[in-house]
Amino acid sequence: MYGMNSLKATKYLVLMSLLSGCLLLLAGCNPFLDDGITDASAVQSKGYFYVTDQTSYSLIMYDYNMAEIQRWALDSIVAGSTVQGATFDGKNIWLAFSNPSYRIFKVQIDSTGKSLKWVDSIKAPPSGKGTNRGIAWDGQYLWALNSGSTTYSYSPSLYKIDVATKSVLATYVLPSGEPRALTFVNPVNDVYGKGPRKGLYYTDIEKKMVYYFSTERPYFDTAFSAPEPPLGQYYVYPTGVASDGQKFYVINSSDAADNFFRLDYTGRPESRHDFFKVEHPGAMFWSSVDIRTIMGVVTINGCAPAKGAAGAKIEVDITGSGFKSSGVTVDFGANITVDSAKVIDVTRIHAYLNIASSATLGKRSISVTVSGVKATLTDGFEVTSVPLTEYLYFADQNMNRVYQLRIEDTVIVGYWSTKLVSAGSIQGLAYDGHDFWITCSGSDKSIYKVTFPVGDTNAAKVAGSTSISLAVSAGTVRGLTCYNGYLWQTASGTPNGKLYRANPDSATVMEFATAMSAEPRGICFVGQRLLSVDNKNKTVSEFSTSSFTWNTIFTIPSTNGAQFPTGLSYDGTNLWVANSSTNMDLLEKFSVTGTLIGYIDIKRGPITYDPSITGLIYIAK
């Protein structure tokens, strides 16, 4: 089906050779409603992609920047078939399968959020013959492609289906012979009135084209050529297409490489993301919302911090999905009172806990109930006999050390040299909840996973052989942070620095965005918000995923002559900024809006020499 089988054995090598040039797609820049929703409107939303993969036989959910969120096996719908089409009608998923089922299934996510279940099905037109392909929902009707059949003398056609009666209302013979993916576009034009035409769009692998069909006045037309992958025109094989109302998204899949393209409304490619964990991506759809929320699915992924002392009052963030602004209750079990719980967005709840001194020590479950639907995370929280201790870990590039500072009394409780890890000057410092990561300036330009042995203040050690080459052609690696299973790295350079995203599992790096200026430094996440401290502009800024720009939140003030921000971290409530200059080296605490709460003067306190602070992270344990 996907062609070029002789290249299968070289796929990994081809992908790795392309890695240094690939651009990460920032999807979801246009917040328009789902395939076929007629009341589409321009509201801020990142959006989600739902992509089928034939090799793993699954439906995969991605966030706006193509980070995988969840995948569902398709065996529960129909086993041993080939998935050809996917769409969403605002309430249900529709999946089209060819041989041997030849049916289109209406699908829901079950209450656990972990499995799919089918609630109805339609025999794929025409009468289950030929090879059914892509499907799309236009707000009222389901549309289905079929490649035709020489045996039964059926031409490749487009079918209009009434799902209530399961009947074909109209048939239109296609102008091409090898259709694959199908999507409906209800356009939302830009401020100049420009945008795609309203109607259906389908891909053809033989013509290497995307075709247009007007649903209001039936006719076909060519829309634009399918995007060409890095391997060249002979590898054009468009298997997926979707739209958010302005932009188009096209999947190109061959046995040599699999690519995800973002295109403007005319079909001009703007950026590309390369798949590494998916081998045969195909049909897909885009939604401005997490469809798990629409289907009443509630999940809990974790709680941070995951510990609290008996008798303490603490704040926690609960992450998951399906959270709503009303009708939400949070329960941490006996003798823990939830004083308040605020839903920040569909994936995060911020709660204030009052842990009674009589609370039973040990691990316990957390539950979140949304409109009667309850989710539970077993052993999601632990009551301890002693309160958590807060620490700041900061890097010093003068001595190439990492220091552990206890916040309550500003005592240095440990330090480790990084000279055995890298000869470069330490810049970035991150913690993923289990492991530490560092980056150092110099020629190696790599991210290292390291350990800081307890009681050993001589040297940090590389954890196994884990290192990720950034392959940054210019500039200096700077800030580092962990979020959603990825490492995020800034690099300074002229005229603007860069922001990179690294996958520690595959040791791959992709360029994510341009930095605010030539001198980005520390970065961190506040919930799902990506913040960066900028050394040139002396600011803390937030990256906008809707406009691909940086927006200033506040300016770092000059404190006793120090105004050289280098590090940034978040403690769950406030921001910490490393402000390092010739005469002053401060760890400053700010509210998220920029109010200076206080600071720790490193040089006049725990350290007697002149440090140069770079990376900074907050850890409570």
Side-chain angles (χ1 to χ4, degrees):
M1 172 182 173
Y2 291 90
M4 293 166 280
N5 290 321
S6 63
L7 295 174
K8 185 68 175 179
T10 64
K11 181 174 181 180
Y12 177 76
L13 294 176
V14 173
L15 287 173
M16 294 307 293
S17 69
L18 294 173
L19 179 60
S20 62
C22 74
L23 294 176
L24 173 68
L25 169 65
L26 280 175
C29 296
N30 298 286
F32 308 104
L33 298 178
D34 321 291
D35 218 8
I37 301 300
T38 57
D39 60 348
S41 56
V43 295
Q44 292 297 321
S45 173
K46 298 170 184 176
Y48 301 88
F49 293 93
Y50 300 82
V51 179
T52 61
D53 175 42
Q54 188 57 45
T55 300
S56 64
Y57 201 50
S58 59
L59 176 67
I60 307 171
M61 177 182 179
Y62 294 94
D63 70 4
Y64 70 99
N65 62 4
M66 293 304 292
E68 183 177 323
I69 296 175
Q70 187 170 352
R71 63 174 63 198
W72 296 275
L74 298 178
D75 297 275
S76 58
I77 307 302
V78 57
S81 194
T82 303
V83 59
Q84 299 282 3
T87 190
F88 182 60
D89 66 11
K91 294 182 179 179
N92 307 284
I93 301 169
W94 292 84
L95 296 172
F97 294 86
S98 58
N99 184 40
S101 64
Y102 296 108
R103 300 193 73 83
I104 302 171
F105 291 86
K106 182 166 71 172
V107 175
Q108 287 271 325
I109 302 172
D110 71 7
S111 59
T112 68
K114 298 178 180 179
S115 301
L116 300 178
K117 60 179 181 180
W118 68 274
V119 295
D120 201 358
S121 70
I122 300 171
K123 182 178 287 188
S127 304
K129 297 180 175 63
T131 302
N132 53 311
R133 299 294 187 182
I135 56 175
W137 178 259
D138 71 358
Q140 185 176 4
Y141 299 106
L142 185 68
W143 296 80
L145 291 171
N146 192 291
S147 294
S149 170
T150 55
T151 302
Y152 298 101
S153 299
Y154 285 115
S155 299
S157 300
L158 173 66
Y159 297 88
K160 181 180 181 180
I161 304 170
D162 184 337
V163 296
T165 62
K166 301 183 180 181
S167 59
V168 175
L169 302 180
T171 303
Y172 304 94
V173 177
L174 298 176
S176 64
E178 287 294 340
R180 285 302 185 269
L182 181 68
T183 192
F184 178 79
V185 177
N186 195 15
V188 180
N189 295 336
D190 62 20
V191 294
Y192 302 104
K194 297 179 179 180
R197 291 177 285 180
K198 181 178 181 179
L200 294 164
Y201 292 77
Y202 79 90
T203 65
D204 188 280
I205 60 169
E206 185 178 62
K207 299 295 185 180
K208 303 179 181 180
M209 289 289 298
V210 175
Y211 287 85
Y212 167 75
F213 175 77
S214 172
T215 55
E216 297 177 338
R217 190 182 64 179
Y219 71 92
F220 289 96
D221 191 9
T222 54
F224 51 85
S225 297
E228 183 176 310
L231 292 175
Q233 60 178 329
Y234 297 109
Y235 296 86
V236 177
Y237 205 93
T239 59
V241 65
S243 175
D244 60 15
Q246 270 194 341
K247 307 294 183 182
F248 285 97
Y249 306 96
V250 173
I251 290 177
N252 189 85
S253 179
S254 72
D255 284 325
D258 302 299
N259 318 109
F260 184 105
F261 291 91
R262 177 176 181 265
L263 306 91
D264 67 14
Y265 73 93
T266 67
R268 180 180 63 86
E270 294 183 337
S271 54
R272 189 189 83 244
H273 165 77
D274 295 335
F275 289 100
F276 291 95
K277 293 184 178 181
V278 176
E279 292 192 34
H280 280 158
M284 67 171 174
F285 61 88
W286 178 89
S287 172
S288 64
V289 297
D290 183 341
I291 64 174
R292 298 174 299 180
T293 303
I294 293 177
M295 296 184 182
V297 176
V298 181
T299 63
I300 304 175
N301 297 332
C303 177
K307 296 180 180 180
K313 292 183 178 182
I314 64 171
E315 299 176 41
V316 298
D317 277 326
I318 303 167
T319 56
S321 66
F323 305 150
K324 298 180 180 180
S325 58
S326 61
V328 176
T329 59
V330 177
D331 186 11
F332 276 73
N335 295 314
I336 296 183
T337 302
V338 180
D339 290 333
S340 68
K342 180 180 180 181
V343 177
I344 306 302
D345 54 41
V346 295
T347 65
R348 184 164 68 100
I349 297 173
H350 190 73
Y352 293 81
L353 307 183
N354 188 343
I355 307 173
S357 57
S358 58
T360 303
L361 302 182
K363 294 183 178 180
R364 57 175 61 204
S365 297
I366 304 169
S367 68
V368 174
T369 303
V370 181
S371 301
V373 180
K374 184 177 181 180
T376 300
L377 179 63
T378 303
D379 294 337
F381 187 78
E382 182 179 2
V383 178
T384 64
S385 57
V386 294
L388 296 177
T389 301
E390 296 179 297
Y391 298 97
L392 289 174
Y393 286 73
F394 60 91
D396 169 31
Q397 66 176 348
N398 279 356
M399 297 293 287
N400 284 323
R401 288 177 177 175
V402 173
Y403 289 90
Q404 180 186 4
L405 178 143
R406 190 166 55 225
I407 295 175
E408 62 182 5
D409 55 10
T410 69
V411 170
I412 298 292
V413 296
Y415 68 88
W416 301 267
S417 171
T418 60
K419 293 180 181 179
L420 296 181
V421 177
S422 171
S425 299
I426 184 169
Q427 298 290 327
L429 180 62
Y431 182 64
D432 62 14
H434 185 267
D435 296 301
F436 288 92
W437 300 80
I438 67 170
T439 53
C440 300
S441 60
S443 60
D444 63 355
K445 295 181 180 179
S446 297
I447 303 173
Y448 296 94
K449 182 165 70 173
V450 300
T451 59
F452 300 135
V454 177
D456 181 357
T457 58
N458 293 319
K461 295 178 173 60
V462 176
S465 58
T466 303
S467 66
I468 304 170
S469 177
L470 288 170
V472 182
S473 59
T476 302
V477 294
R478 298 295 188 183
L480 184 67
T481 193
C482 301
Y483 178 72
N484 201 24
Y486 291 91
L487 292 161
W488 302 77
Q489 172 79 62
T490 58
S492 59
T494 304
N496 284 89
K498 297 290 185 181
L499 174 66
Y500 296 88
R501 189 186 76 171
N503 185 332
D505 294 330
S506 59
T508 55
V509 181
M510 296 179 184
E511 183 179 317
F512 188 84
T514 300
M516 187 175 187
S517 78
E519 294 296 335
R521 289 298 195 270
I523 52 175
C524 72
F525 280 85
V526 176
Q528 293 182 319
R529 299 167 58 198
L530 174 59
L531 273 57
S532 176
V533 67
D534 187 272
N535 189 262
K536 180 180 179 180
N537 298 315
K538 318 301 183 187
T539 57
V540 172
S541 301
E542 179 178 357
F543 183 74
S544 170
T545 56
S546 62
S547 63
F548 288 59
T549 58
W550 293 89
N551 302 311
T552 299
I553 301 175
F554 62 90
T555 299
I556 304 296
S558 176
T559 305
N560 297 333
Q563 196 183 23
F564 199 87
T566 54
L568 184 66
S569 191
Y570 180 60
D571 67 10
T573 304
N574 299 297
L575 294 170
W576 287 87
V577 175
N579 194 346
S580 182
S581 66
T582 302
N583 298 318
M584 281 285 173
D585 292 277
L586 309 177
L587 301 178
E588 298 178 311
K589 186 177 183 179
F590 291 90
S591 71
V592 291
T593 57
T595 301
L596 179 60
I597 298 172
Y599 62 84
I600 301 171
D601 189 339
I602 295 298
K603 194 155 47 179
R604 297 190 181 185
I607 294 179
T608 57
Y609 67 92
D610 185 14
S612 181
I613 305 171
T614 51
L616 177 67
I617 51 175
Y618 167 91
I619 299 176
K621 59 183 180 179

